[in-house]
Amino acid sequence: MSGVAPLELVDVVREYGGGRSLFGRRLPAHRAVDGVSLTLQQGATLGIVGESGCGKSTLARMIVGLLPPTAGHILIDNRPIDQFDRLSLHRKVQMVFQDPLGSLNPRKTVRQVLEIPLRSLRGMHAPARRDRVQELMHLVSLRAEFIDRYPHEFSGGQCQRIGIARALAAEPEIIVLDEPVSALDVSVQAQVLRLLQDLQARLGVAYLFISHDLAVVEAIADTVAVMQAGRIVERGGAAQIFLAPQHAYTRELIGAIPGLSAMPA
Amino acid sequence: MSGAQGIAVPLAPTPASRPSSAGVWRRFMRSGMAVAGAGLLLVVVALVLAAPFLPLSDPDRTDILHRMARPLTTGHLLGTDELGRDLLSRVIWGTRLSLLVGVVAATLSSLIGSALGVVAAYYGRAVDTLVMRGVDMLMAFPYLLLALAIVAALGPSLGHAMLAIIIVNVPFFARAVRGATVSLRQSDFIAAARLMGQSNLRIIATELLPNVLPVVVVTASTSVGWMILETAGLSFLGLGAQPPVADLGGMLGSARNLINVAPHVAAVPGLAILLIAIGVNLVGDGVRDALDPRLRAGGLARISAVTEVAPDRPMPAQPPSDALLSVRSLRTEFRSGGQVWRAVNDVSFEVRAGEAVGLVGESGSGKTVTALSIAGLVASPPGRIAGGSIRFKGQELIGAPLAALQDIRGNRVAYMFQDPLTTLNPLLTIGQQISETVRRHQGLGPRAAMAQAVTLLEQVGITDPAQRARSFPHELSGGQRQRVGAAIALANSPDLIVADEPTTALDVTTQARVLALMNEQRHRLGAALVFISHDMGVIAELCDRVHVMYAGSIVESGRVADVLSRPAHPYTIRLLACVPRPGQARREVEPIPGLPPATNALPPGCAFAPRCDLAIAACSAGAIPMVAVGQEHAARCVRTRDALQEAAA
Ligand SMILES: Nc1ncnc2c1ncn2[C@@H]1O[C@H](COP(=O)(O)OP(=O)(O)OP(=O)(O)O)[C@@H](O)[C@H]1O
Ligand code: SF4
Ligand SMILES: [Mg+2]
């Protein structure tokens, strides 16, 4: 399989609104994603950076199949995603959300949350599930005795670990992370970033890592794509983007990193 | 730490903030009225359930010879009715029937209504339109008229009356449940459930329903009483229970002609209805309050307008300085459930006129509580200032009268918060809100104040300010809202701006613009700034001096450049290592292992000791003083020398 890019986007477009009004007049459509082409290599991390409203989350939702693209192709293992059935798509690509607490059902314990994908996506039986849940908890460094607790009993960073464990339960090749650390303070953010790096080294999963903060993306990504108003305006190696930005918007993003000049390296 | 490659091992989870079921039960039992109502209902229910076993005479056996017997007649405790039937027996059997009808009607209408509401909200679009238009149509008819029309069409009988009551109540449940479901459906956990391969039916049954169930249960339990009354009403009109069987309404209806001759015949079922209605409503209110304590009548009114101050508080030993703001040995604590949470623990700092001071630290380190203590804005109860002194322009603020504090709030000291949406009034335009602030403190006329508001909006970089002044808060983006927050803070040219994470909810690009704006406007007015953030990088952008907070205490203070280049406290060193620095591809970020301690059980000595890799026995022996490490630079650590060396390495 090596050499095949597990995820490829070709001229992907997504419009909101549009259609026709009651009297058949064309309504103006808003292009949230405007012809994006990207390639994610196996076991690598592709960072997408841009300010809020530039279409990052729309892109994420299309890749995991929550939203159909208006035009263009999304290929997973060289196959368009509309040829996958729902379950086999979810076994290939998973997602971690921005709001750590909001992405967990307040009335389900950690165990219940983690068992769902094991049953419906991996078809595991009860005894196997029990062992696997323990393994997943260990994988994201959550203590085993937390397993029967409810989300509100956890801190933001711990909730995000549960969200990551849930995504890993499907054993996906790709995880789309939509602003996974933006709601966390710097020290917890550092813990989660470290965990993600560690998991990638161990499991070989590929990340599509989305953030508005170039410093965070740069810390975890191999390659970076800069997105502005639905388009990719610049792409390249993480260090190269930062050291030799080509596009004016990339330079603005670098300038926006707080304390860059004041903080000693 | 010896753990797997420094991956943080989580410690105890944060204390529960949502009501636990034990808490709900405790709150319910604390409400005397609800318990009384529950007792009343319990007696009634026990009585009607036991009806077949009680030594009651047949409720339908007529006895013309003893008609309209007064209460306390031998053999007829409550007397008899116009056909000589025993009233005690009839009222118990009648109550049994009425309760049954009420409970069945409430259950069925809530089940049908909730199912419609959930399906409409979950599938949205055409399904939603179809269901909700149907519901609207039903609701367009006057409620009782519709019920009457249904019974009239079907013919009078208790079953038809119940059916009518169910039909007219379904729309209310459908509306309530749809509302609760729509907001849930947007949430990420529903999207996550789809990605986990769950079917729509399963998502509705296991993800949505359990979360809307409390709404359904509360609405249903509070409406049982209504349904009993409504069926009684139909029976009263002769459309419900048919003779000789009678429910409470039917009994009341046939007794109404005897009201002058034998009032007790009507009074007995009337009283029964009253008692049931009182019982059901008391329990319903109790359930609602127990599930959502914030809704309790008067609950919010009890919070005082200024933070409570301990009368026997210790005063700081040091004399106050002549700085603009001087905070000395401030202690603010929260008391709940017999525990004391020391959120701010002996904090001292000062702010000189025109200077920018940063407070930095992890979530829960006490930054916000410190900031709110300045103007007495910490909620009491549970908060209270347990000691210390806060002087603003020489005036003591702790224990100052409310009038003095109100003059200072919003006028000499202005606050900016993380999300201005929570402090802006959603019903007023932003122009109205800014001009209101200006008018209150500057005594301008409405026109002049509005002109001033537009000028302020222009100064904070809002394009087309005259037009924007007419917008409502929700029509603005996060960045624009924070600019409005800045405009309100600047409105009265304050001497001090306290900004609590004003840019944390913004993306870095917008954050950079808002920070630049705050810097520029602050210098224009010569205002001092207290800026709170968890991110040292943001502090470095605009502060002169910084105080690093940990577990309610200041652990390092100094000029920003000094603290950044020569951090002297191990916590500061670790905090700086958490910030990703670009330009060094895939440089590992260095997380701090573990979590900060809970402030209700602070360890003796250094609170950072359990996470510190320089910790020695002396660290946990007792309180640790600030140690000077340079000019205006000090750290609360027994090993500052080693820490400085480690930082330099
Ligand atoms: N109303 C309250 N009742 C009880 N405890 C409270 C209340 N408000 C704050 N606390 C407690 O006081 C401590 C300090 O909280 P504070 O909000 O000042 O932290 P912070 O440093 O501002 O954190 P963040 O970065 O999350 O805003 C925490 O332990 C918190 O749980
Ligand atoms: S006092 Fe001791 S435990 Fe605390 S920071 Fe200094 S060295 Fe570490
Ligand atoms: Mg705070």
Side-chain angles (χ1 to χ4, degrees), chain A residues 121-133:
Chain A
L121 292 177
R122 309 272 16 146
M124 284 183 166
H125 294 294
R129 286 205 300 263
R130 200 168 318 128
D131 295 345
R132 180 68 180 144
V133 166

Side-chain angles (χ1 to χ4, degrees), chain B residues 514-559:
Chain B
V514 171
L515 290 180
L517 164 85
M518 285 182 64
N519 222 0
E520 169 198 318
Q521 294 297 321
R522 185 179 76 78
H523 281 118
R524 189 176 61 82
L525 294 174
L529 175 70
V530 171
F531 192 97
I532 294 175
S533 177
H534 63 84
D535 186 346
M536 193 63 118
V538 177
I539 299 278
E541 286 285 319
L542 73 175
C543 291
D544 309 311
R545 289 188 302 130
V546 64
H547 301 283
V548 183
M549 284 191 77
Y550 187 75
S553 300
I554 291 178
V555 296
E556 180 160 1
S557 300
R559 285 193 291 253

Side-chain angles (χ1 to χ4, degrees), chain A residues 31-255:
Chain A
R31 281 208 166 188
V33 173
D34 191 2
V36 166
S37 301
L38 289 171
T39 307
L40 173 60
Q41 300 298 335
Q42 193 167 6
T45 301
L46 168 62
I48 297 191
V49 63
E51 68 190 280
S52 70
C54 76
K56 305 185 301 278
S57 292
T58 306
L59 192 66
R61 285 178 177 256
M62 285 192 287
I63 295 170
V64 296
L66 285 173
L67 202 67
T70 311
H73 304 283
I74 300 174
L75 307 166
I76 288 179
D77 290 341
N78 267 338
R79 250 175 81 198
I81 59 166
D82 44 14
Q83 287 180 17
F84 281 84
D85 66 273
R86 211 159 76 91
L87 293 189
S88 44
L89 176 65
H90 297 333
R91 277 192 282 268
K92 287 275 181 194
V93 45
Q94 274 298 333
M95 179 155 172
V96 173
F97 297 84
Q98 172 166 6
D99 177 3
L101 196 58
S103 62
L104 297 172
N105 184 341
R107 291 183 192 266
K108 286 209 159 127
T109 63
V110 181
R111 183 199 299 281
Q112 289 167 329
V113 166
L114 295 181
E115 284 209 339
I116 296 168
L118 297 179
R119 190 184 51 229
S120 29
L121 292 177
R122 309 272 16 146
M124 284 183 166
H125 294 294
R129 286 205 300 263
R130 200 168 318 128
D131 295 345
R132 180 68 180 144
V133 166
Q134 298 283 352
E135 258 175 62
L136 288 168
M137 294 285 280
H138 184 72
L139 212 50
V140 296
S141 307
L142 280 176
R143 281 208 208 149
E145 60 263 34
F146 290 174
I147 200 150
D148 289 311
R149 294 205 175 148
Y150 289 91
H152 71 267
E153 299 176 72
F154 292 97
S155 68
Q158 289 171 325
C159 285
Q160 208 55 304
R161 285 168 199 267
I162 300 169
I164 293 169
R166 172 176 60 189
L168 290 173
E171 296 171 40
E173 273 171 55
I174 305 158
I175 300 181
V176 177
L177 302 120
D178 187 5
E179 305 264 14
V181 295
S182 305
L184 309 173
D185 74 30
V186 278
S187 53
V188 183
Q189 166 181 302
Q191 293 177 346
V192 172
L193 287 177
R194 169 63 76 89
L195 172 70
L196 287 172
Q197 288 172 338
D198 204 70
L199 288 171
Q200 187 168 60
R202 270 199 264 175
L203 307 173
V205 57
Y207 295 143
L208 188 88
F209 188 101
I210 296 176
S211 174
H212 62 78
D213 188 345
L214 185 60
V216 170
V217 167
E218 218 255 7
I220 191 162
D222 306 297
T223 50
V224 175
V226 180
M227 195 165 168
Q228 184 190 24
R231 293 171 171 275
I232 302 294
V233 295
E234 179 166 0
R235 72 185 81 212
Q240 174 216 329
I241 285 263
F242 176 77
L243 295 173
Q246 301 300 310
H247 196 277
Y249 183 67
T250 313
R251 283 192 285 273
E252 190 184 342
L253 285 177
I254 293 171

Side-chain angles (χ1 to χ4, degrees), chain B residues 175-200:
Chain B
R175 275 265 173 100
V177 169
R178 178 182 173 273
T181 315
V182 163
S183 53
L184 278 177
R185 202 187 77 101
Q186 314 291 345
S187 53
D188 282 345
F189 76 84
I190 298 294
R194 283 164 178 274
L195 293 186
M196 291 309 142
Q198 306 223 73
S199 63
N200 284 335

Side-chain angles (χ1 to χ4, degrees), chain B residues 68 82 236 250-263 265-266:
Chain B
M68 290 190 275
E82 72 281 10
F236 178 84
M251 288 175 69
L252 202 57
S254 56
R256 107 193 99 156
N257 298 327
L258 309 172
I259 201 87
N260 291 324
V261 195
V265 181

Side-chain angles (χ1 to χ4, degrees), chain B residues 15 332-343 382-384 598-602:
Chain B
T332 308
E333 49 190 41
F334 295 95
R335 286 160 185 261
S336 71
Q339 300 260 38
V340 180
W341 304 79
R342 300 205 157 77
R384 94 188 190 137
T599 53
N600 63 339
L602 288 173

